[in-house]
């Protein structure tokens, strides 16, 4: 593996190299405390965030792949989890800009704390390696003589193709569909070499991830929950931040996994067929179809806003009705000229309702991954002009509807515990923010919800609230979902045009407080606070 890191010339690169070598050693030894201590030294030395991110990705990239995201153990199918080291680094990029300057390096402290626990998930799942997914979750601290993490998919050299770009992309997508991991990865490396074509190549990678969503949830434990898309999106954001000339390790960590099985395209097929029938007006026959019709492209050009009644009708179908009603409601709005991107705003707010109706800390897995899908799809719409993106809106609606029924099936549909504390109107904005943060960090969801609503009722400026929820999320460690989901909701608050978009802030506060925690979630931020002299973290 290439161990070159693009060093900032402002400091002695040999001393920085020694620190990065030590960081790698501590991560591979699964030493969370030791890796964190090296990170503090890097921050004190003024090393740039992008340089540290690049080093972290270089270290973990070979060890965060798995042979397959499912095992068959003596006749029992078992899920093999997805990497969150790369996803945590992506969240760091965004949270870094949300926090006060003296706290800006805290999100990366959470990423570094997690990396030693995120290696070799395959062996973790069968208790042959230590880490987040082994049977003893929590704070590992220092692990004595851990086994070396395994490399299941070695890095590769690119394969270059001839012909039009759309044909080359179709070759890559065919290899992904068939699960030919190495062949697909080598073709992708070749596609990325042409800078003029790179944006379209990256769009196709993200599209492939977004199209891969399971067709059922209730009583299943193996599912993608959109993770191929989250990994692809992380690849794009990190590559853009580092510069693609310095991003090979990011591509290795992210793009290769797109073809790793299982792969689920049946929901995407429903979207293709439903659009063919209901938007294009065709009768499906037993013949091959392909491409994108002018009728489908025309819907993407819709620009009509969605009014409150229309939003309520779509939300009701998703939350309380079935898949057919959901498809019909979405199609009716599209055929009346409603903007697909603004319909995605409606689905985002709808999914926050599912989050807010959940109370068991163990039951947020489906709601919060569904929300991450909505956020990732919105980012995709805003980043790429992909011709097949309308089909993904249908997936988003079906995914949300299935999650709603999943929560009903497990008994996790409860009245939203929203009660504004008495006397809240007499407090200053600063006092309200302090109470929001305290409730989140105390893991008290109902109080976090109440104080967040109190702030929204009494203070016009939402920016301090966004910053404070982001800070609270960055204080909680041992699971990158603490940062990822809140960051997604806070990001969408800035782009969502629905009049009730405050629900995104309510859900961010509530979810951060409520969803499952591991070990002592405050330990990583306390350590960072002590090391860097940040009193607010102690």
């Amino acid at each position: 593996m290439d161990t070159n890191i693009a060093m900032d010339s402002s400091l002695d690169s040999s001393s920085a190299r020694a620190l990065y070598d030590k960081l790698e050693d501590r991560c591979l030894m699964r030493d969370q405390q030791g890796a964190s201590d090296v990170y503090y030294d890097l921050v004190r030395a003024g090393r740039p965030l992008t340089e540290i991110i690049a080093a972290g990705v270089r270290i973990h990239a070979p060890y965060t792949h798995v042979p397959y995201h499912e095992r068959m153990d003596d006749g029992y199918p078992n899920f093999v989890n997805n990497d969150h080291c790369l996803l945590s680094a992506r969240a760091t990029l965004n949270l870094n800009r949300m926090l006060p300057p003296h706290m800006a390096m805290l999100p990366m402290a959470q990423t570094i704390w997690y990396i030693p626990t995120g290696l070799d998930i395959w062996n973790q799942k069968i208790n042959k390696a230590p880490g987040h997914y082994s049977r003893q979750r929590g704070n590992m601290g220092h692990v004595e003589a851990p086994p070396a993490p395994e490399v299941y998919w070695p890095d590769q050299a690119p394969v270059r193709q001839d012909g039009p770009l759309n044909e080359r992309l179709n070759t890559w997508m065919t290899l992904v569909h068939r699960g030919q991991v190495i062949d697909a990865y080598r073709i992708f490396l070749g596609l990325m070499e042409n800078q003029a074509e790179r944006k379209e190549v990256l769009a196709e990678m993200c599209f492939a991830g977004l199209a891969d969503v399971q067709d059922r949830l209730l009583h299943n434990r193996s599912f993608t929950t959109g993770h191929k898309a989250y990994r692809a999106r992380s690849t794009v954001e990190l590559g853009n931040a580092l510069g693609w000339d310095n991003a090979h390790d990011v591509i290795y960590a992210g793009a290769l996994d797109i073809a790793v099985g299982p792969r689920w395209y049946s929901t995407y097929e429903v979207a293709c067929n439903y659009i063919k029938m209901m938007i294009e007006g065709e009768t499906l026959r037993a013949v091959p179809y392909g491409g994108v019709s002018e009728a489908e492209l025309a819907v993407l050009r819709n620009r009509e806003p969605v009014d409150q009644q229309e939003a309520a009708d779509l939300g009701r179908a998703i939350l309380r009705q079935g898949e057919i009603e959901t498809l019909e409601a979405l199609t009716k709005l599209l055929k009346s000229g409603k903007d697909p991107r603004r319909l995605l705003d409606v689905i985002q707010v709808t999914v926050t309702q599912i989050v807010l109706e959940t109370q068991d800390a163990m039951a947020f897995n489906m709601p919060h991954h569904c929300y991450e899908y909505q956020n990732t799809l919105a980012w995709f719409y805003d980043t790429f002009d992909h011709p097949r993106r309308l089909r993904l809106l249908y997936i988003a609606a079906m995914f949300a509807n299935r999650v709603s029924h999943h929560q009903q099936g497990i008994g996790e549909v409860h009245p939203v515990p929203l009660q504004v504390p008495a006397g809240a109107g007499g407090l200053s904005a600063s006092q309200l923010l302090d109470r929001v943060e305290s409730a989140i960090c105390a893991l008290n969801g109902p109080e976090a919800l109440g104080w967040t609503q109190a702030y929204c009722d009494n203070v016009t400026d939402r920016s301090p609230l966004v910053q404070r929820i982001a800070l609270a999320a960055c204080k909680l460690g041992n699971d990158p979902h603490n940062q990822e989901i809140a960051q997604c909701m806070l990001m969408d608050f800035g782009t969502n045009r629905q009049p009730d978009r405050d629900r995104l802030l309510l859900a961010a506060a509530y979810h951060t407080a409520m969803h499952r925690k591991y070990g002592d979630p405050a330990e990583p931020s306390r350590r960072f606070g002590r090391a860097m002299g940040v009193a607010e973290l102690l």
Side-chain angles (χ1 to χ4, degrees), residues 239-255:
N240 286 339
L242 303 182
W244 289 102
D245 290 341
N246 301 314
H248 176 81
D249 294 313
V250 171
I251 297 170
Y252 177 31

Side-chain angles (χ1 to χ4, degrees), residues 84-399:
H84 278 273
C85 297
L86 199 71
L87 276 59
S88 179
R90 185 208 66 79
T92 284
L93 276 178
N94 293 278
L95 290 165
N96 170 265
R97 297 188 288 266
M98 292 183 180
L99 299 187
H102 68 295
M103 299 275 201
M105 297 301 277
L106 174 60
M108 190 63 195
Q110 296 288 4
T111 300
I112 294 294
W113 179 261
Y114 180 78
I115 287 174
T117 74
L119 309 181
D120 199 356
I121 295 171
W122 184 266
N123 275 324
Q124 287 190 44
K125 295 290 287 188
I126 53 176
N127 217 34
K128 290 185 177 180
H132 181 73
Y133 297 102
S134 63
R135 292 172 190 165
Q136 299 298 321
R137 297 191 182 193
N139 300 34
M140 294 196 309
H142 176 77
V143 178
E144 295 292 335
E150 292 195 41
V151 178
Y152 298 101
W153 301 107
D155 203 355
Q156 301 290 317
V159 170
R160 300 166 186 89
Q161 307 173 81
D162 295 322
L165 178 59
N166 67 321
E167 292 181 5
R168 288 179 279 135
L169 289 174
N170 191 63
T171 297
W172 173 77
M173 186 68 197
T174 299
L175 293 169
V176 169
H177 187 229
R178 294 174 179 173
Q180 294 176 232
V181 178
I182 294 299
D183 291 340
Y185 177 53
R186 295 187 69 191
I187 290 288
F188 188 83
L189 291 176
L191 288 165
M192 283 293 289
E193 289 183 334
N194 187 332
Q195 184 175 351
E197 298 174 340
R198 193 170 288 157
K199 186 171 184 178
E200 291 177 82
V201 172
L202 293 170
E204 192 70 7
M205 174 185 65
C206 293
F207 168 78
L210 286 159
D212 187 348
V213 174
Q214 68 287 331
D215 55 2
R216 59 163 293 111
L217 296 174
L218 187 60
H219 304 314
N220 279 73
R221 298 192 309 153
S222 291
F223 23 62
T224 168
T225 55
H227 262 283
K228 298 297 181 73
Y230 315 148
R231 200 160 179 166
R233 184 255 193 99
S234 298
T235 302
V236 174
E237 289 200 55
L238 291 169
N240 286 339
L242 303 182
W244 289 102
D245 290 341
N246 301 314
H248 176 81
D249 294 313
V250 171
I251 297 170
Y252 177 31
L256 183 148
D257 183 69
I258 298 294
V260 175
R263 291 163 306 285
W264 286 278
Y265 298 116
S266 55
T267 300
Y268 175 69
E269 183 185 2
V270 170
C272 293
N273 291 338
Y274 203 83
I275 289 170
K276 181 68 66 179
M277 293 185 295
M278 301 303 176
I279 299 293
E280 300 174 29
E282 287 201 25
T283 300
L284 287 182
R285 304 187 186 281
V287 297
Y289 293 94
V292 183
S293 71
E294 176 53 36
E296 183 175 350
L297 294 173
V299 172
L300 289 172
R301 296 191 288 269
N302 288 357
R303 289 298 178 267
E304 287 293 318
V306 185
D307 66 35
Q308 288 182 272
Q309 184 59 55
E310 291 165 336
D313 290 344
L314 178 58
R316 186 181 310 107
I318 291 172
L319 290 173
R320 306 297 180 232
Q321 298 177 333
E323 186 166 283
I324 292 298
E325 291 85 354
T326 296
L327 292 170
E328 289 174 345
L330 179 60
T331 303
K332 178 182 177 182
L333 292 170
L334 290 169
K335 292 177 78 170
S336 69
K338 303 305 174 182
D339 186 338
R341 178 62 182 85
R342 305 282 63 98
L343 288 168
L344 187 50
D345 289 348
V346 175
I347 301 175
Q348 287 179 348
V349 173
T350 300
V351 176
T352 64
Q353 181 70 18
I354 303 175
V355 171
L356 293 170
E357 291 177 349
T358 301
Q359 293 185 5
D360 186 337
M362 303 286 284
F364 284 90
N365 189 41
M366 288 305 150
H368 73 207
H369 281 113
C370 184
Y371 190 88
E372 191 167 10
Y373 187 91
Q374 313 303 325
N375 167 264
T376 302
L377 182 55
W379 168 86
F380 183 73
Y381 264 73
D382 295 343
T383 304
F384 300 110
D385 187 28
H386 196 284
R388 295 187 292 277
R389 64 191 184 278
L390 181 65
R391 303 169 192 182
L392 304 176
L393 180 66
Y394 277 83
I395 292 179
M398 286 186 279
F399 190 3

